[in-house]
Amino acid sequence: MTQKILIINFEEIYLKGKNQKIFIKQLVRNLKRKLTKYQDYLQFTKAQGGSYFIEIIKEIPKDILEDIVHIVKNTPGITGFYVADTAGINMDEIIEKAVAHAQRYAGTFNSFAVVAKRINKSVPFDSMRIGREVGSAINERLGKKVDLTRPDFKLHIKVRGQYTIIYSKIIPGIGGLPVGTSGKAIAMLSGGIDSPVSTFMAMNRGLHITAAHFHSVPKTSPQSIEKVKMLARQLTKFQGQIKLYLIPVLDIQEAIAKHTDSRLRLILLRRIMLKAGEAIARQEKAKALITGDSLGQVASQTLENMKATEAATNMLVLRPLVALDKKHIIQTAQQIGTFEISILPHDDACGLFTPKSPETKAQLKYVEEQCRKLPVDELISQALAKSEIVIISDTSLIKPD
Ligand code: ATP
Ligand code: MG
């Protein structure tokens, strides 16, 4: 028999009118994919009233249930969900299970109300009687008082087809939109604090992300790549599996250093990164590039420099962090579990050849003139030919928060 049921709500998806069906279908597909390893325990059922059920259909170890709850909690598109207990459709069992459920939360409330509903009309008792009998059992056995107007704790009981569901506290989800419903994008993922946050924000607006990281191995350590893999792994808890491109840029950096104005090194490298991102986007059928730029955060992230950088590509460049201050970005990084990884010491490709006085107000015309000194297309195709693609999928390595 069904042991427990996760009842999923998705408010924002309701707002989508006739697209609603597509959104829900995608959400369920995402959930099924993320929960593949536990599929033997699960059954997905569309419920009446717009919610969705994930039924636990056999005895389940506590840590697996916890992991399932953690995965559901971190799936974009879910505003909240309940973990419901189940009982048969006879009054004695409903009372026993309801009291046991309430007892688990006993420390959190003094007053309570029972909200009962009978969907299966063939049982020999009505919802009023369920409310009354369960109410008095909780009152007698747990010493809590009934308050139907402003209860601390609401216990929902629904008698459905062949079983009853009992639930109370909603577990908040991360909201947003199901990954994939907004299309695909390429996220430029460094080892820093910002880009994992911008990648997460893009996922949470329904984008399916492929990540691109540019490295200068062997001039930078191989650990810098391990760190980016760790960040990507942490981000799989939202999207599920992530494809990560690792692109070597040392040759490009050397060409830039040799042939161009040193003040423009970073901008020229960023331009090439975006152009390489564009090539990957074509391959992956993605329609935008995502970066972790935040206006004015560092001297190089000025309007002039952003303009001179993004002019290298015709692609839409999205910067989810553009107006956020560092404090807010760090808070989000802590919440999504990337901060601790981002602050590990590492050497980044960009840090490797930062000039003493980088340009902060680049003139596009001059940048383009300098860019023409480089065989850009050739450099990019060589780098891409040497790039490595890894599929990051291990959500089980992530500790629940
Ligand atoms: P981050 O913390 O994301 O590194 P940052 O504040 O350090 O950001 P920059 O280093 O100037 O800013 O980078 C701006 C953006 O350019 C990054 O957020 C990222 O999207 C992209 N970027 C920078 N370096 C790399 C890299 N080595 N590989 C991929 N993308 C990069
Ligand atoms: Mg950086």
Side-chain angles (χ1 to χ4, degrees), residues 305-325:
N305 285 14
M306 284 190 197
K307 174 71 193 162
T309 307
E310 89 169 18
T313 171
N314 287 324
M315 276 221 119
L316 176 62
V317 179
L318 298 178
R319 300 177 178 86
L321 310 185
V322 74
L324 299 184
D325 55 43

Side-chain angles (χ1 to χ4, degrees), residues 322-365:
V322 74
L324 299 184
D325 55 43
K326 195 74 185 184
K327 197 171 138 201
H328 187 122
I329 296 168
I330 289 176
Q331 266 170 8
T332 310
Q334 283 164 335
Q335 280 159 11
I336 64 173
T338 54
F339 183 74
E340 294 300 323
I341 306 169
S342 291
I343 59 174
L344 294 171
H346 79 301
D347 34 5
D348 184 67
C350 300
L352 195 64
F353 80 151
T354 323
K356 279 211 179 66
S357 54
E359 182 59 79
T360 55
K361 292 203 164 160
Q363 294 305 308
L364 181 56
K365 240 179 147 175

Side-chain angles (χ1 to χ4, degrees), residues 174-231:
I174 52 165
L177 298 171
V179 167
T181 52
S182 301
K184 292 183 182 176
I186 308 299
M188 316 292 275
L189 188 61
S190 75
I193 294 168
D194 302 323
S195 46
V197 175
S198 56
T199 305
F200 158 72
M201 288 175 73
M203 286 173 177
N204 208 36
R205 280 328 284 173
L207 286 168
H208 182 275
I209 294 297
T210 294
H213 174 69
F214 300 86
H215 66 84
S216 316
V217 175
K219 273 273 173 68
T220 52
S221 66
Q223 282 94 313
S224 64
I225 292 181
E226 284 315 303
K227 181 179 173 182
V228 172
K229 286 185 184 168
M230 280 165 75
L231 287 169

Side-chain angles (χ1 to χ4, degrees), residues 136-149:
S136 56
I138 293 176
N139 172 261
E140 277 162 30
R141 284 152 64 179
L142 305 182
K144 308 289 183 183
K145 66 173 194 296
V146 175
D147 179 349
L148 299 180
T149 45

Side-chain angles (χ1 to χ4, degrees), residues 22-153:
I22 301 170
F23 280 72
I24 293 177
K25 217 169 151 186
Q26 183 68 45
L27 176 65
V28 172
R29 199 182 298 147
N30 294 347
L31 273 171
K32 282 184 178 166
R33 201 177 295 139
K34 289 173 81 180
L35 292 168
T36 311
K37 61 182 167 181
Y38 301 132
Q39 63 188 2
D40 292 350
Y41 293 100
L42 307 175
Q43 185 174 305
F44 291 75
T45 322
K46 192 173 181 307
Q48 290 154 327
S51 48
Y52 213 94
F53 283 0
I54 302 178
E55 299 185 50
I56 314 278
I57 50 176
K58 60 180 190 186
E59 200 73 52
I60 192 165
K62 197 164 167 262
D63 57 335
I64 293 186
L65 180 62
E66 275 171 13
D67 198 30
I68 291 171
V69 166
H70 177 71
I71 290 171
V72 172
K73 204 175 148 127
N74 288 300
T75 297
I78 294 174
T79 48
F81 62 101
Y82 298 96
V83 180
D85 286 319
T86 57
I89 50 172
N90 66 79
M91 189 59 95
D92 289 346
E93 196 183 338
I94 293 173
I95 293 172
E96 284 318 305
K97 293 280 180 69
V99 172
H101 184 102
Q103 192 159 25
R104 288 213 301 278
Y105 296 95
T108 68
F109 71 97
N110 291 316
S111 62
F112 73 99
V114 176
V115 185
K117 202 170 167 187
R118 191 183 55 148
I119 296 164
N120 177 355
K121 304 279 187 215
S122 69
V123 293
F125 45 81
D126 62 8
S127 48
M128 292 274 284
R129 198 175 133 206
I130 305 170
R132 219 169 38 238
E133 295 203 13
V134 171
S136 56
I138 293 176
N139 172 261
E140 277 162 30
R141 284 152 64 179
L142 305 182
K144 308 289 183 183
K145 66 173 194 296
V146 175
D147 179 349
L148 299 180
T149 45
R150 294 186 58 194
D152 302 338
F153 183 76

